[in-house]
Structures are given as structure tokens and as C-alpha cells.
Amino acid sequence: ELQRVRDSLRGVVLPFDHDSGDHRVLETPSLRYVELTVEESTGLVQLVLVWNGSRDKPAPALEQLLHVLWPLQADEHAPGPETWHSIWVHWREPDPRLARAIHSKD
């Protein structure tokens, strides 16, 4: 399902490039990591999106991504079982000192 969503938002939601030598990459709002955890008793998935950006700045690409993902849960006419237990966003502040760290230290 995530692959379909990713394909539909190609060019909107950008993947974070860890290997770029360009410092501007740190400032580009982008998806750094995705964590999926399945709740065994229900089969529902907790999705955590680690977003490269500051919480106090607009993130239209993230908003689009959430808009596409969450209706899959809310649409009572969607085929198949519910998908999401929950969706969380962790804001990873752009900070060159953190290198590949998933979480901000502040």
C-alpha cells in the first residue's frame, strides 16, 4: 500500500538523500525514514514518518502524504480491513551535527 501511495506522490514527497554533499539537502522538507509496527492481536499497523523539517514551517508535501494515507482508514467504503492503528510524525530538525541520526537530540 505504501508503494502505491509513494508512486502517486512521486515528485511531491521527496526522499531524504543522506549521501548528498549539498548542505541545502538538510533544509529541504523530505521523508527521512518510515517505521512500521504491526499490532499482532489486530493486524493493524502503526506508521511513524520521520520528516526532515522544522515543525514551525509549512510542510505541504507532508500534509498531502497524510491526506492520502489517512482516508484509507476513514473511508468506510474502502475494500478490505482497516490498515492503520495510528500514524505519527516525528519532526527531525535539519542539523548537520546529527548526520544519520533518526531523532533530533533537542
Side-chain angles (χ1 to χ4, degrees), residues 6-7 29 36 42 49:
R6 186 193 69 118
D7 290 346
L36 301 162
T42 64
L49 304 171

Side-chain angles (χ1 to χ4, degrees), residues 28-83:
T28 303
S30 53
L31 185 60
R32 289 184 73 100
Y33 299 99
V34 174
E35 177 186 342
L36 301 162
T37 306
V38 178
E39 184 179 65
E40 286 188 46
S41 63
T42 64
L44 296 178
V45 177
Q46 173 182 284
L47 172 64
V48 178
L49 304 171
V50 179
W51 189 258
N52 187 67
S54 297
R55 185 183 296 242
D56 60 340
K57 293 184 180 173
L62 176 60
E63 290 177 23
Q64 272 187 275
L65 176 59
L66 293 172
H67 181 74
V68 169
L69 288 170
W70 192 250
L72 298 176
Q73 163 84 16
D75 184 0
E76 63 187 46
H77 303 293
E82 293 179 336
T83 304

Side-chain angles (χ1 to χ4, degrees), residues 1-13 65 68:
E1 190 63 38
L2 283 177
Q3 183 71 36
R4 183 190 64 74
V5 170
R6 186 193 69 118
D7 290 346
S8 72
L9 293 173
R10 187 176 304 279
V12 175
V13 176
L65 176 59
V68 169

